[in-house]
Coordinates of all heavy atoms in Angstrom, one line a residue:
M426 N -2.2 -1.8 -9.2 CA -2.8 -0.7 -8.6 C -2.3 -0.4 -7.2 O -2.3 -1.4 -6.4 CB -4.3 -0.9 -8.6 CG -5.2 0.2 -8.1 SD -6.9 -0.1 -8.1 CE -7.3 -0.2 -9.8
A427 N -1.9 0.7 -6.9 CA -1.5 1.0 -5.5 C -2.8 1.2 -4.7 O -3.9 1.4 -5.2 CB -0.7 2.4 -5.5
L428 N -2.6 1.1 -3.4 CA -3.8 1.3 -2.5 C -3.6 2.7 -1.9 O -2.6 3.3 -1.9 CB -3.8 0.3 -1.4 CG -3.9 -1.2 -1.8 CD1 -4.0 -2.1 -0.6 CD2 -5.0 -1.4 -2.8
L429 N -4.7 3.2 -1.4 CA -4.7 4.5 -0.7 C -5.5 4.4 0.6 O -6.4 3.5 0.7 CB -5.2 5.7 -1.5 CG -6.6 5.8 -2.0 CD1 -7.5 6.3 -0.9 CD2 -6.7 6.7 -3.2
I430 N -5.1 5.2 1.5 CA -5.8 5.3 2.8 C -6.8 6.4 2.8 O -6.3 7.6 2.5 CB -4.8 5.4 4.0 CG1 -3.9 4.2 4.0 CG2 -5.4 5.7 5.3 CD1 -2.7 4.3 4.9
N431 N -8.0 6.2 3.0 CA -9.0 7.3 3.0 C -9.2 7.9 4.3 O -8.6 7.6 5.3 CB -10.3 6.8 2.3 CG -11.0 5.7 3.2 OD1 -10.9 5.7 4.4 ND2 -11.8 4.9 2.5
D432 N -10.2 8.9 4.4 CA -10.3 9.7 5.6 C -11.0 9.0 6.7 O -11.4 9.6 7.7 CB -10.9 11.0 5.3 CG -12.3 10.9 4.6 OD1 -12.8 9.8 4.6 OD2 -12.8 12.0 4.1
E433 N -11.3 7.7 6.5 CA -11.8 6.9 7.7 C -10.6 6.5 8.6 O -10.8 6.1 9.7 CB -12.4 5.5 7.2 CG -13.5 5.7 6.3 CD -14.8 6.2 6.9 OE1 -15.0 5.9 8.1 OE2 -15.4 7.1 6.3
C434 N -9.4 6.8 8.2 CA -8.2 6.5 9.0 C -8.2 7.1 10.3 O -8.6 8.3 10.5 CB -7.0 6.9 8.2 SG -5.4 6.7 9.1
T435 N -7.8 6.3 11.4 CA -7.8 6.9 12.7 C -6.3 7.1 13.2 O -6.1 7.4 14.3 CB -8.5 5.9 13.7 OG1 -7.8 4.7 13.7 CG2 -9.9 5.7 13.4
A436 N -5.4 6.9 12.2 CA -4.0 7.1 12.5 C -3.5 6.2 13.7 O -2.7 6.6 14.6 CB -3.6 8.6 12.8
C437 N -4.0 4.9 13.7 CA -3.6 4.0 14.8 C -2.2 3.4 14.7 O -1.7 2.8 15.6 CB -4.6 2.9 14.8 SG -4.5 1.7 13.4
D438 N -1.6 3.6 13.5 CA -0.2 3.1 13.2 C -0.1 1.6 13.1 O 1.0 1.0 13.1 CB 0.7 3.6 14.3 CG 2.2 3.6 13.8 OD1 2.4 4.1 12.7 OD2 3.0 3.0 14.5
A439 N -1.2 0.9 12.9 CA -1.1 -0.6 12.7 C -0.5 -0.9 11.4 O 0.2 -1.9 11.2 CB -2.5 -1.2 12.8
C440 N -0.7 -0.1 10.3 CA -0.3 -0.5 9.0 C 1.1 -0.2 8.7 O 1.8 -0.9 8.0 CB -1.2 0.2 8.0 SG -1.2 2.1 8.1
R441 N 1.6 0.9 9.2 CA 3.0 1.4 8.8 C 4.0 0.4 8.9 O 4.8 0.1 8.0 CB 3.3 2.7 9.5 CG 4.5 3.5 9.0 CD 4.8 4.7 9.8 NE 4.8 4.4 11.2 CZ 5.9 3.9 11.9 NH1 6.9 3.6 11.2 NH2 5.8 3.6 13.2
P442 N 4.1 -0.3 10.1 CA 5.3 -1.2 10.3 C 5.2 -2.5 9.5 O 6.2 -3.2 9.3 CB 5.2 -1.6 11.8 CG 4.1 -0.7 12.4 CD 3.3 -0.1 11.3
V443 N 4.0 -2.8 9.0 CA 3.8 -4.1 8.3 C 4.1 -4.0 6.8 O 4.1 -5.0 6.0 CB 2.5 -4.8 8.5 CG1 2.3 -5.1 10.0 CG2 1.3 -4.0 7.9
C444 N 4.2 -2.8 6.3 CA 4.4 -2.6 4.8 C 5.8 -3.0 4.4 O 6.8 -2.5 4.9 CB 4.2 -1.1 4.4 SG 4.5 -0.8 2.7
P445 N 5.9 -4.0 3.4 CA 7.2 -4.5 3.0 C 7.9 -3.5 2.1 O 9.1 -3.7 1.9 CB 6.8 -5.8 2.2 CG 5.5 -5.5 1.7 CD 4.8 -4.7 2.8
N446 N 7.2 -2.5 1.7 CA 7.9 -1.5 0.8 C 8.1 -0.1 1.5 O 8.5 0.8 0.8 CB 7.0 -1.3 -0.4 CG 7.0 -2.5 -1.3 OD1 8.0 -3.0 -1.6 ND2 5.8 -2.9 -1.7
E447 N 7.9 -0.1 2.8 CA 8.0 1.2 3.5 C 7.3 2.3 2.7 O 7.8 3.4 2.6 CB 9.5 1.6 3.7 CG 10.1 0.5 4.6 CD 11.6 0.8 4.9 OE1 12.2 1.7 4.3 OE2 12.2 0.1 5.7
A448 N 6.1 2.0 2.3 CA 5.3 3.0 1.5 C 4.4 3.8 2.3 O 3.8 4.8 1.8 CB 4.5 2.2 0.4
I449 N 4.2 3.5 3.6 CA 3.2 4.2 4.4 C 3.9 5.1 5.4 O 4.9 4.8 6.0 CB 2.4 3.2 5.2 CG1 1.7 2.2 4.3 CG2 1.4 3.9 6.1 CD1 1.0 1.0 5.0
S450 N 3.4 6.4 5.4 CA 4.0 7.3 6.3 C 2.9 8.0 7.2 O 1.7 8.0 6.8 CB 4.7 8.4 5.6 OG 3.9 9.1 4.6
A451 N 3.3 8.5 8.3 CA 2.4 9.0 9.3 C 2.1 10.5 9.0 O 2.7 11.4 9.6 CB 2.9 8.8 10.7
A452 N 1.4 10.7 7.9 CA 1.0 12.1 7.6 C -0.1 12.6 8.5 O -0.7 11.8 9.3 CB 0.6 12.2 6.2
S453 N -0.4 13.8 8.5 CA -1.4 14.4 9.4 C -2.5 15.0 8.5 O -2.3 15.7 7.6 CB -0.8 15.5 10.2 OG -1.8 16.0 11.1
P454 N -3.8 14.7 8.8 CA -4.3 14.0 10.0 C -4.4 12.5 9.7 O -4.7 11.7 10.7 CB -5.7 14.6 10.2 CG -6.2 14.9 8.8 CD -4.9 15.3 8.0
I455 N -4.2 12.0 8.5 CA -4.3 10.6 8.2 C -3.1 10.1 7.6 O -2.2 10.8 7.1 CB -5.5 10.3 7.3 CG1 -5.4 10.9 5.9 CG2 -6.9 10.7 7.9 CD1 -6.4 10.5 4.9
Y456 N -2.9 8.7 7.6 CA -1.7 8.1 7.1 C -1.8 8.1 5.5 O -2.8 8.2 5.0 CB -1.5 6.7 7.6 CG -0.9 6.6 9.0 CD1 -1.2 7.6 9.9 CD2 0.0 5.7 9.3 CE1 -0.6 7.5 11.2 CE2 0.6 5.6 10.5 CZ 0.3 6.5 11.5 OH 0.9 6.5 12.7
L457 N -0.6 8.0 5.0 CA -0.5 8.2 3.5 C 0.3 7.0 2.9 O 1.3 6.6 3.5 CB 0.3 9.5 3.3 CG 0.3 10.1 1.9 CD1 -1.1 10.6 1.6 CD2 1.3 11.3 1.9
I458 N -0.2 6.5 1.8 CA 0.5 5.5 1.0 C 1.2 6.2 -0.2 O 0.5 6.8 -1.0 CB -0.4 4.4 0.6 CG1 -0.9 3.6 1.8 CG2 0.3 3.4 -0.4 CD1 -1.9 2.5 1.5
D459 N 2.5 6.0 -0.4 CA 3.2 6.5 -1.6 C 2.9 5.5 -2.7 O 3.3 4.4 -2.7 CB 4.7 6.5 -1.3 CG 5.5 7.1 -2.4 OD1 4.9 7.1 -3.6 OD2 6.6 7.5 -2.2
P460 N 2.1 6.0 -3.7 CA 1.7 5.1 -4.8 C 2.9 4.6 -5.7 O 2.8 3.7 -6.4 CB 0.7 5.9 -5.6 CG 1.1 7.3 -5.3 CD 1.6 7.3 -3.9
F461 N 4.0 5.3 -5.6 CA 5.2 4.9 -6.3 C 6.0 3.8 -5.6 O 6.8 3.2 -6.2 CB 6.1 6.1 -6.6 CG 5.4 7.1 -7.5 CD1 4.9 8.3 -7.0 CD2 5.2 6.9 -8.9 CE1 4.2 9.2 -7.8 CE2 4.6 7.8 -9.7 CZ 4.1 9.0 -9.1
K462 N 5.6 3.6 -4.4 CA 6.3 2.5 -3.6 C 5.3 1.3 -3.4 O 5.8 0.2 -3.3 CB 6.7 3.0 -2.2 CG 7.8 4.0 -2.3 CD 8.2 4.5 -0.9 CE 9.4 5.5 -0.9 NZ 9.7 5.9 0.5
C463 N 4.0 1.6 -3.3 CA 3.1 0.5 -3.0 C 3.0 -0.5 -4.2 O 2.8 0.0 -5.3 CB 1.7 1.1 -2.7 SG 0.4 -0.2 -2.5
T464 N 3.1 -1.8 -3.9 CA 2.9 -2.8 -4.9 C 1.7 -3.7 -4.6 O 1.6 -4.8 -5.2 CB 4.1 -3.7 -5.1 OG1 4.3 -4.4 -3.8 CG2 5.4 -2.9 -5.3
E465 N 0.8 -3.2 -3.7 CA -0.3 -4.0 -3.2 C 0.3 -5.3 -2.6 O -0.3 -6.3 -2.6 CB -1.3 -4.4 -4.3 CG -2.5 -3.5 -4.3 CD -3.6 -4.0 -5.2 OE1 -4.3 -5.0 -4.7 OE2 -3.8 -3.5 -6.3
C466 N 1.5 -5.2 -2.2 CA 2.3 -6.3 -1.6 C 2.7 -7.4 -2.6 O 3.2 -8.4 -2.2 CB 1.6 -6.9 -0.3 SG 1.6 -5.8 1.1
V467 N 2.4 -7.2 -3.8 CA 2.8 -8.1 -4.9 C 4.3 -8.2 -4.8 O 5.0 -7.2 -4.7 CB 2.3 -7.7 -6.3 CG1 3.0 -8.5 -7.4 CG2 0.8 -7.8 -6.4
G468 N 4.8 -9.5 -4.8 CA 6.3 -9.7 -4.7 C 6.7 -10.1 -3.3 O 7.7 -10.8 -3.2
A469 N 6.0 -9.6 -2.3 CA 6.4 -9.8 -1.0 C 5.4 -10.7 -0.1 O 5.9 -11.5 0.7 CB 6.6 -8.5 -0.2
E470 N 4.2 -10.5 -0.4 CA 3.1 -11.2 0.4 C 2.0 -11.6 -0.5 O 1.9 -11.2 -1.6 CB 2.6 -10.2 1.5 CG 3.6 -9.6 2.4 CD 4.2 -10.5 3.4 OE1 3.6 -11.6 3.6 OE2 5.2 -10.2 4.1
D471 N 1.1 -12.5 0.1 CA 0.0 -13.0 -0.7 C -1.1 -12.0 -0.8 O -2.0 -12.1 -1.7 CB -0.5 -14.3 -0.1 CG 0.4 -15.4 -0.3 OD1 1.3 -15.3 -1.2 OD2 0.4 -16.4 0.5
E472 N -1.2 -11.1 0.2 CA -2.3 -10.1 0.1 C -1.8 -8.8 0.8 O -0.9 -8.8 1.6 CB -3.6 -10.6 0.8 CG -3.4 -11.2 2.2 CD -4.6 -11.9 2.6 OE1 -5.7 -11.4 2.5 OE2 -4.5 -13.0 3.2
P473 N -2.5 -7.7 0.5 CA -2.1 -6.4 1.1 C -2.1 -6.5 2.6 O -3.1 -6.6 3.3 CB -3.1 -5.4 0.6 CG -3.6 -6.1 -0.7 CD -3.6 -7.5 -0.4
Q474 N -0.9 -6.3 3.2 CA -0.7 -6.4 4.6 C -1.4 -5.3 5.4 O -2.0 -5.5 6.5 CB 0.7 -6.5 5.0 CG 1.5 -7.7 4.4 CD 0.9 -9.0 4.9 OE1 1.0 -9.3 6.1 NE2 0.2 -9.7 4.0
C475 N -1.4 -4.1 4.8 CA -2.1 -3.0 5.5 C -3.6 -3.2 5.6 O -4.2 -2.8 6.6 CB -1.7 -1.6 4.8 SG -2.1 -1.6 3.0
Q476 N -4.2 -3.8 4.6 CA -5.6 -4.0 4.6 C -5.9 -5.1 5.7 O -6.9 -5.0 6.4 CB -6.1 -4.6 3.3 CG -6.5 -3.5 2.3 CD -7.0 -4.0 1.0 OE1 -6.7 -5.1 0.6 NE2 -7.9 -3.2 0.4
L477 N -5.0 -6.1 5.8 CA -5.2 -7.1 6.8 C -5.2 -6.6 8.2 O -6.0 -7.1 9.0 CB -4.0 -8.1 6.7 CG -4.2 -9.3 5.7 CD1 -2.9 -10.2 5.9 CD2 -5.4 -10.1 6.0
V478 N -4.3 -5.7 8.5 CA -4.2 -5.3 9.9 C -5.0 -4.0 10.3 O -5.2 -3.7 11.4 CB -2.7 -4.9 10.3 CG1 -1.8 -6.2 10.1 CG2 -2.1 -3.8 9.5
C479 N -5.5 -3.4 9.2 CA -6.3 -2.1 9.5 C -7.6 -2.5 10.2 O -8.4 -3.3 9.8 CB -6.7 -1.4 8.2 SG -7.6 0.1 8.5
P480 N -7.9 -1.9 11.4 CA -9.1 -2.2 12.2 C -10.3 -1.5 11.7 O -11.4 -1.8 12.1 CB -8.7 -1.7 13.6 CG -7.8 -0.6 13.3 CD -7.0 -0.9 12.1
V481 N -10.2 -0.6 10.7 CA -11.3 0.2 10.2 C -11.8 -0.4 8.8 O -10.9 -0.6 7.9 CB -11.0 1.6 10.0 CG1 -12.2 2.4 9.5 CG2 -10.4 2.2 11.3
A482 N -13.0 -0.8 8.7 CA -13.5 -1.3 7.5 C -13.4 -0.3 6.3 O -13.8 0.9 6.5 CB -15.0 -1.8 7.7
D483 N -13.0 -0.8 5.2 CA -13.0 0.0 4.0 C -12.1 1.3 4.1 O -12.5 2.3 3.5 CB -14.4 0.4 3.5 CG -15.2 -0.8 3.3 OD1 -14.7 -1.8 2.8 OD2 -16.4 -0.8 3.6
C484 N -11.1 1.3 4.9 CA -10.2 2.4 5.0 C -9.1 2.4 4.0 O -8.6 3.4 3.5 CB -9.6 2.4 6.4 SG -8.5 3.7 6.8
V485 N -8.6 1.2 3.7 CA -7.5 1.0 2.7 C -8.2 0.5 1.4 O -8.7 -0.6 1.4 CB -6.4 0.1 3.2 CG1 -5.2 0.1 2.2 CG2 -6.0 0.5 4.6
V486 N -8.1 1.3 0.4 CA -8.9 1.0 -0.9 C -8.0 1.2 -2.1 O -6.9 1.9 -2.0 CB -10.1 1.9 -1.0 CG1 -11.1 1.6 0.2 CG2 -9.7 3.4 -1.0
P487 N -8.4 0.7 -3.2 CA -7.6 0.9 -4.4 C -7.5 2.4 -4.8 O -8.4 3.1 -4.6 CB -8.4 0.1 -5.5 CG -9.1 -0.9 -4.8 CD -9.5 -0.3 -3.4
N488 N -6.3 2.8 -5.3 CA -6.1 4.1 -5.7 C -6.4 4.2 -7.2 O -5.7 3.7 -8.0 CB -4.6 4.5 -5.5 CG -4.3 6.0 -5.8 OD1 -5.0 6.6 -6.6 ND2 -3.3 6.5 -5.1
P489 N -7.5 4.9 -7.5 CA -8.0 4.9 -8.9 C -7.0 5.6 -9.9 O -7.1 5.4 -11.1 CB -9.4 5.6 -8.8 CG -9.3 6.5 -7.6 CD -8.4 5.7 -6.6
D490 N -6.1 6.4 -9.4 CA -5.2 7.1 -10.2 C -4.0 6.2 -10.6 O -3.1 6.7 -11.3 CB -4.7 8.4 -9.6 CG -5.9 9.3 -9.4 OD1 -6.8 9.3 -10.2 OD2 -5.8 10.1 -8.4
F491 N -3.9 5.0 -10.0 CA -2.7 4.2 -10.2 C -3.1 2.8 -10.5 O -3.0 1.9 -9.7 CB -1.8 4.2 -9.0 CG -1.0 5.5 -8.9 CD1 -1.5 6.6 -8.3 CD2 0.3 5.6 -9.4 CE1 -0.8 7.8 -8.2 CE2 1.0 6.8 -9.4 CZ 0.4 7.9 -8.7
T492 N -3.7 2.6 -11.7 CA -4.1 1.2 -12.1 C -2.9 0.6 -12.8 O -2.3 1.1 -13.7 CB -5.3 1.3 -13.1 OG1 -4.9 2.2 -14.1 CG2 -6.5 1.8 -12.4
E493 N -2.5 -0.6 -12.2 CA -1.3 -1.3 -12.7 C -1.7 -2.8 -12.7 O -2.4 -3.3 -11.9 CB -0.1 -1.1 -11.8 CG 0.4 0.3 -11.7 CD 1.1 0.6 -10.4 OE1 0.5 0.6 -9.3 OE2 2.3 0.9 -10.5
T494 N -1.1 -3.5 -13.7 CA -1.3 -5.0 -13.7 C -0.4 -5.6 -12.7 O 0.5 -5.0 -12.1 CB -0.9 -5.5 -15.1 OG1 0.6 -5.3 -15.3 CG2 -1.6 -4.8 -16.2
R495 N -0.7 -6.9 -12.4 CA 0.1 -7.6 -11.5 C 1.6 -7.7 -11.9 O 2.5 -7.6 -11.1 CB -0.4 -9.1 -11.4 CG 0.2 -9.9 -10.3 CD -0.4 -11.2 -10.1 NE 0.4 -12.0 -9.2 CZ 0.3 -11.9 -7.9 NH1 -0.6 -11.0 -7.3 NH2 1.1 -12.5 -7.1
E496 N 1.8 -7.8 -13.2 CA 3.2 -7.8 -13.8 C 3.9 -6.5 -13.5 O 5.0 -6.4 -13.1 CB 3.2 -8.1 -15.3 CG 2.8 -9.5 -15.6 CD 1.4 -9.9 -15.3 OE1 0.5 -9.0 -15.4 OE2 1.1 -11.1 -14.9
Q497 N 3.2 -5.4 -13.7 CA 3.7 -4.0 -13.4 C 4.1 -3.9 -12.0 O 5.1 -3.3 -11.6 CB 2.8 -2.9 -13.9 CG 2.7 -2.8 -15.4 CD 1.6 -1.9 -15.9 OE1 0.5 -1.9 -15.3 NE2 1.9 -1.0 -16.8
L498 N 3.2 -4.4 -11.1 CA 3.4 -4.3 -9.7 C 4.7 -5.1 -9.3 O 5.5 -4.7 -8.5 CB 2.2 -4.8 -8.9 CG 1.0 -3.9 -9.0 CD1 -0.2 -4.6 -8.4 CD2 1.2 -2.6 -8.2
L499 N 4.8 -6.3 -9.9 CA 6.0 -7.1 -9.6 C 7.3 -6.4 -10.1 O 8.3 -6.4 -9.4 CB 5.8 -8.5 -10.3 CG 6.7 -9.6 -9.9 CD1 6.7 -9.8 -8.3 CD2 6.3 -10.9 -10.6
E500 N 7.2 -5.8 -11.3 CA 8.3 -5.0 -11.8 C 8.7 -3.9 -10.8 O 9.9 -3.7 -10.5 CB 8.0 -4.4 -13.1 CG 8.5 -5.2 -14.3 CD 8.1 -4.5 -15.6 OE1 8.2 -3.3 -15.7 OE2 7.6 -5.2 -16.5
K501 N 7.7 -3.2 -10.3 CA 7.9 -2.1 -9.3 C 8.6 -2.7 -8.1 O 9.5 -2.1 -7.6 CB 6.6 -1.5 -9.0 CG 6.7 -0.1 -8.3 CD 5.5 0.2 -7.5 CE 4.3 0.7 -8.3 NZ 3.2 1.2 -7.5
Y502 N 8.1 -3.8 -7.6 CA 8.7 -4.4 -6.4 C 10.2 -4.8 -6.7 O 11.0 -4.5 -5.8 CB 7.9 -5.7 -6.0 CG 8.5 -6.4 -4.8 CD1 8.3 -5.8 -3.5 CD2 9.2 -7.5 -5.0 CE1 8.9 -6.4 -2.4 CE2 9.8 -8.1 -3.9 CZ 9.6 -7.6 -2.6 OH 10.1 -8.2 -1.5
R503 N 10.4 -5.4 -7.8 CA 11.8 -5.9 -8.1 C 12.7 -4.6 -8.2 O 13.9 -4.7 -7.8 CB 11.8 -6.7 -9.3 CG 11.2 -8.1 -9.1 CD 11.3 -9.0 -10.3 NE 10.7 -10.3 -10.0 CZ 10.0 -11.1 -10.8 NH1 9.8 -10.6 -12.0 NH2 9.6 -12.2 -10.5
A504 N 12.2 -3.6 -8.9 CA 13.1 -2.4 -9.1 C 13.4 -1.8 -7.7 O 14.5 -1.3 -7.5 CB 12.3 -1.4 -9.9
R505 N 12.5 -1.9 -6.7 CA 12.8 -1.4 -5.4 C 13.8 -2.2 -4.6 O 14.4 -1.7 -3.7 CB 11.5 -1.2 -4.6 CG 10.6 -0.1 -5.2 CD 9.4 0.1 -4.2 NE 9.8 0.3 -2.9 CZ 10.4 1.4 -2.4 NH1 10.7 2.4 -3.1 NH2 10.7 1.4 -1.1
Q506 N 13.9 -3.5 -5.0 CA 14.9 -4.4 -4.3 C 16.3 -4.2 -4.8 O 17.2 -4.5 -4.2 CB 14.5 -5.8 -4.5 CG 13.0 -6.2 -4.0 CD 12.8 -5.7 -2.6 OE1 13.5 -6.1 -1.7 NE2 11.8 -4.9 -2.4
S507 N 16.4 -3.7 -6.1 CA 17.8 -3.6 -6.7 C 18.5 -2.3 -6.4 O 17.9 -1.4 -5.8 CB 17.7 -3.9 -8.2 OG 16.8 -2.9 -8.7
Ligands
SF4_877 FE1 2.5 -1.4 1.7 FE2 1.4 -3.6 0.8 FE3 -0.1 -1.7 1.9 FE4 1.0 -1.3 -0.5 S1 -0.6 -2.8 0.0 S2 1.0 0.2 1.3 S3 2.9 -2.4 -0.3 S4 1.4 -2.9 3.0

């Protein structure tokens, strides 16, 4: 499942640089996660880095439109590396 940034976002830019998949962009007025790039950090990190660094509670949440298994997320990550 990809994550999404909801409208609690303050556009602080903490998340964008830590994403291993370059999935986060500085859209206006809030930041945006590309669900086709986000792997929930599977393949690269033990936990979602954007959630770790986000200073706003419950701002980065699961994207209900992109439910994927861990295996699918890993495949997505590997495909992006090749
Ligand atoms: Fe990037 Fe990981 Fe956040 Fe997805 S969960 S947007 S891969 S930092």
Side-chain angles (χ1 to χ4, degrees):
M426 183 180 292
L428 300 186
L429 68 78
I430 295 169
N431 65 26
D432 58 11
E433 299 292 321
C434 175
T435 62
C437 71
D438 201 52
C440 60
R441 191 183 50 79
V443 301
C444 177
N446 291 313
E447 297 181 352
I449 303 174
S450 56
S453 179
I455 61 172
Y456 277 40
L457 194 65
I458 295 176
D459 182 340
F461 296 103
K462 294 181 178 177
C463 174
T464 65
E465 260 192 80
C466 288
V467 169
E470 305 285 350
D471 290 338
E472 52 190 313
Q474 298 300 291
C475 54
Q476 276 183 329
L477 270 183
V478 300
C479 181
V481 181
D483 301 326
C484 178
V485 187
V486 296
N488 185 332
D490 295 332
F491 285 84
T492 52
E493 297 155 294
T494 65
R495 187 174 173 82
E496 287 69 33
Q497 288 171 317
L498 290 169
L499 195 52
E500 262 178 47
K501 192 201 289 190
Y502 178 76
R503 287 181 177 146
R505 289 189 49 73
Q506 303 306 303
S507 57

